[in-house]
Amino acid sequence: NILNGGTVRNSAITAMIIKNYNSLECENETKPDATLVRNGSTNTDIKVTLNGAAAIIDFCIKNKIPLRGHALVWHSQTPQWFFKDNFQNGGNWVNSSTMDQRLESYIKNLFALYQSQYPSLNLYAYDVCNEVVSDDANRTANNGGARLPGYGNGASPWVQVYGSNAFVEKAFTFARKYAPKTCKLFYNDYNEYWDHKRDCIYNMCKNLYQKGILDGVGMQSHINSDVNGFSGLQAFKTAMQK
């Protein structure tokens, strides 16, 4: 289940969580716009914070509930300055080698912050990359599933910088290097039962899995109760088995 800054202070909700759930995720508090700090950041030292998630992490530790982190790399809810020269929204896009430095520093520093501030937290899983595969069948057929480049309206600043989904393997490589050894690394997406998107996710994740840098796939599913519909049970079962 999830908690956010408000629900973590709701005693009825937290009592229900303690009774029924053995895993928690922050709704928004560990997404990039909540953890990245522009002030003081350099290309090789990206500043980060977990202040927004503090109450939720404290709740997890107190009640011995493991936390799943969500998410490191996402086209949405990531500040534009992170991809721009001099960390300015109106600046030019940085090149891929500069972004490599920023990506590694961000992941390294965030995992280090978990360890230094919350050494007793059971950070058992992390969604490293989130929703990087397009819903467009033309993109999954011809562009490796990469979203359109850009910022906002579903476009990806990651693709804008890298020209492809090449950043995905880099992110998983850095996460494997810096995450706790007991932390499982996941790719997460929605509409993962849609045949063309399903197969694109499968091919990408199989490659990452075979390289030893991915442990599983998160299926962010919205499932209808019918059997044979677009998001019905059969389509979901096929995707899950694949």
Side-chain angles (χ1 to χ4, degrees), residues 92-131:
N92 294 321
W93 298 96
V94 299
N95 58 35
S96 59
S97 60
T98 299
M99 203 67 225
D100 286 350
Q101 292 179 312
R102 294 184 182 186
L103 177 60
E104 180 170 12
S105 176
Y106 159 48
I107 292 174
K108 176 183 180 181
N109 289 350
L110 191 61
F111 280 121
L113 191 61
Y114 277 109
Q115 180 58 39
S116 63
Q117 289 191 344
Y118 303 103
S120 60
L121 174 68
N122 182 359
L123 188 66
Y124 80 101
Y126 226 102
D127 292 329
V128 177
C129 292
N130 189 45
E131 301 177 1

Side-chain angles (χ1 to χ4, degrees), residues 193 224-236:
Y193 38 71
N224 290 339
S225 59
D226 60 344
V227 175
N228 295 314
F230 168 69
S231 60
L233 302 180
Q234 188 55 55
F236 181 81

Side-chain angles (χ1 to χ4, degrees), residues 202-219:
Y202 168 79
N203 290 329
M204 178 181 74
C205 289
K206 182 179 181 181
N207 177 57
L208 298 170
Y209 179 75
Q210 289 176 336
K211 291 182 177 180
I213 53 177
L214 174 143
D215 296 302
V217 179
M219 300 174 72

